[in-house]
Amino acid sequence: MKSIVENQEIMDTPGEIEGNQGQEYKIEQFTLHDSDYKEISDLITTAFLNDEMAKKEGGVLIFNEETFRRIFGSPYLPKDLFVRAIHIPTNEVIGFIGCIPRTVHYQNSLFECAIPAWAAVHWKHQRKGISVEMGKEVRKMLIEKGYNIAFSFHEPEQHGKDLSAAVSRETDLIPLKRLANINHFLIRIFDIQKVKKVFKLKRYERWGLKILSPPKIKYKPNSQIRRYEPEDGPILFELMSDHVEQNEMAIVHEEKDFLWYLNQPGVNCVVHENTHGDVDGFLLAWEFLFAGYGESVPFGWLDLVHTYRLKQTDATDLAKFLAIQSKEMGWAGIQMPYIKYFNAIPFKKAKFILFPKKIYIDAFYQENHSTLPLPEKLNTFYFDWR
């Protein structure tokens, strides 16, 4: 039983396919190699920086080879779930969609899924229908491999929903079915001066961030909290099963891939031990670069939260300790889309703020082919962003 989860927006606006598109561009599935990392990470960065909204507002995520490897480079994941667009006259790769296989647990059953993510079209080649053609090729590739459900994450101000609708019109996918809304980002700022270089912030927003998320972190050392060590990996993987037990729907990780991920450069993980010295909670974030207006700053993406077994005071201390470690790594702040699989109160006490920003979670599926029973609405669900 397989499904497709679509994560992130395609940086292109759906448009009419030009008459000579078949002669000028080639859309193809390909096998990813290490030698592709730089070219594709540069493509994603170029596409994101030249997005219309990014030019106006700043605050765009940019890629380097390390970021790309962390997301797509696991040796324990298949390397043939990728689609690219090639400009035939120059033989340049001008479009990309990568897919990450995952398992989804729902109603006591497991469904294999693939996550199309971090898709982009070079700004010089946008508005030519390339994004739609790539989306159709991804759909074809994944259907052939047995996947038939899609979960899409859409930001209202981006073009991802338009693209998904365009692909669904030209295929036999059922159009959008809203499953859940994400209404806030969870944010902790350490250096507002760096942040305002790459974000368009109003004066009252800058003052609000300084007051609500002050740079100084008040933390009384907690002897049960420390940095992650490689030998913690297997117990952290066991703790991930709590996400399945606590939520209506949850992603289930593959163990070897999860352990590989924990030990990648740029990953910041902190753990909590119970009174017996056993790890019973953890937080994980990874580094990326925020860019805007010709500047870039290192930032953290809070990707995994496991605080189910912790008292509120310990969860608060763990969030504070993550912030301290992140600040020491030179990050200007941390953020994550707030999915309500964990309690946000400890993070608020640690001076994280809930910043209004919407992301819609929608579903696509093939009529009479879906093996995953879709709920009208998801109340609790665990997803991550890598």
Side-chain angles (χ1 to χ4, degrees):
M1 294 179 288
K2 297 189 176 183
S3 63
I4 306 166
V5 181
E6 182 180 346
N7 180 22
Q8 304 302 327
E9 307 295 337
I10 291 189
M11 288 301 180
D12 186 11
T13 304
E16 295 296 324
I17 298 175
E18 296 184 345
N20 66 344
Q21 193 269 350
Q23 300 174 7
E24 189 174 1
Y25 299 101
K26 178 171 65 174
I27 312 296
E28 64 179 12
Q29 179 272 338
F30 74 102
T31 299
L32 183 71
H33 299 285
D34 287 3
S35 57
D36 298 315
Y37 290 2
K38 186 178 189 310
E39 180 180 25
I40 297 175
S41 59
D42 288 348
L43 166 66
I44 296 172
T45 291
T46 299
F48 284 18
L49 285 176
N50 284 277
D51 177 69
E52 294 176 4
M53 185 62 66
K55 288 181 178 179
K56 294 178 181 177
E57 304 294 335
V60 62
L61 187 155
I62 64 174
F63 267 57
N64 54 28
E65 291 183 63
E66 183 178 285
T67 310
F68 190 89
R69 183 182 303 276
R70 188 183 305 124
I71 294 172
F72 295 115
S74 170
Y76 303 104
L77 299 180
K79 294 296 190 292
D80 60 350
L81 295 177
F82 298 88
V83 167
R84 64 187 172 193
I86 296 175
H87 184 233
I88 295 174
T90 62
N91 201 36
E92 293 179 345
V93 176
I94 55 85
F96 169 80
I97 304 178
C99 300
I100 307 170
R102 285 286 182 261
T103 300
V104 170
H105 180 275
Y106 181 65
Q107 291 188 344
N108 298 317
S109 296
L110 296 176
F111 302 85
E112 295 304 313
C113 68
I115 306 175
W118 304 108
V121 173
H122 193 283
W123 65 275
K124 291 183 180 179
H125 301 272
Q126 292 182 7
R127 302 182 185 276
K128 297 184 178 182
I130 296 171
S131 60
V132 174
E133 292 302 303
M134 289 199 304
K136 289 163 64 177
E137 185 65 23
V138 166
R139 174 197 169 276
K140 175 184 174 183
M141 173 184 71
L142 295 178
I143 293 297
E144 288 176 352
K145 293 179 180 294
Y147 301 92
N148 55 32
I149 297 290
F151 294 98
S152 299
F153 293 68
H154 300 303
E155 296 183 43
E157 64 270 23
Q158 297 290 359
H159 299 300
K161 184 175 180 179
D162 297 336
L163 170 65
S164 298
V167 172
S168 69
R169 283 196 302 269
E170 298 188 29
T171 66
D172 58 350
L173 288 175
I174 303 299
L176 301 168
K177 177 180 179 179
R178 181 64 42 78
L179 291 182
N181 294 335
I182 297 173
N183 296 315
H184 296 88
F185 269 52
L186 198 60
I187 298 175
R188 180 68 168 93
I189 301 298
F190 313 130
D191 193 329
I192 192 65
Q193 297 303 316
K194 287 183 178 179
V195 170
K196 73 178 186 179
K197 290 180 179 179
V198 297
F199 275 96
K200 183 179 180 181
L201 293 173
K202 298 180 176 65
R203 179 174 294 182
Y204 71 84
E205 291 175 327
R206 295 198 298 269
W207 279 105
L209 287 171
K210 286 182 179 179
I211 295 170
L212 297 175
S213 187
K216 187 176 181 180
I217 303 167
K218 296 181 179 180
Y219 173 71
K220 182 179 180 180
N222 185 326
S223 61
Q224 294 175 267
I225 292 174
R226 59 174 173 80
R227 289 186 61 85
Y228 160 84
E229 297 175 357
E231 55 266 30
D232 298 324
I235 185 62
L236 265 59
F237 180 75
E238 290 181 15
L239 289 174
M240 293 293 287
S241 63
D242 288 348
H243 291 308
V244 172
E245 297 175 5
Q246 296 286 337
N247 295 285
E248 187 178 355
M249 181 179 287
I251 284 180
V252 180
H253 285 264
E254 193 279 328
E255 184 173 8
K256 290 183 179 179
D257 171 62
F258 180 75
L259 297 180
W260 175 87
Y261 171 43
L262 285 172
N263 294 288
Q264 289 307 292
V267 170
N268 180 17
C269 183
V270 297
V271 304
H272 179 274
E273 296 177 336
N274 62 23
T275 54
H276 301 290
D278 300 319
V279 174
D280 59 356
F282 70 98
L283 303 175
L284 181 149
W286 46 264
E287 181 176 323
F288 69 96
L289 292 176
F290 257 142
Y293 316 117
E295 302 276 354
S296 65
V297 298
F299 222 81
W301 190 284
L302 181 55
D303 199 30
L304 297 178
V305 175
H306 185 292
T307 53
Y308 301 112
R309 306 184 185 190
L310 304 187
K311 295 184 297 184
Q312 187 177 110
T313 53
D314 287 331
T316 300
D317 284 348
L318 190 63
K320 289 180 178 180
F321 189 69
L322 176 74
I324 289 171
Q325 298 301 312
S326 300
K327 189 175 181 180
E328 289 181 356
M329 292 175 69
W331 298 358
I334 311 175
Q335 71 160 24
M336 76 174 302
Y338 176 49
I339 300 178
K340 297 180 181 180
Y341 68 85
F342 62 92
N343 186 353
I345 292 177
F347 289 87
K348 292 179 181 178
K349 289 180 175 293
K351 302 303 181 182
F352 285 71
I353 61 173
L354 288 173
F355 189 84
K357 184 175 177 63
K358 289 186 177 293
I359 296 180
Y360 302 142
I361 303 179
D362 300 313
F364 294 81
Y365 58 96
Q366 283 187 293
E367 191 172 17
N368 300 323
H369 290 283
S370 173
T371 56
L372 175 59
L374 295 174
E376 287 300 318
K377 182 180 180 181
L378 283 174
N379 296 309
T380 60
F381 55 98
Y382 163 73
F383 287 113
D384 53 44
W385 303 93
R386 174 265 176 196

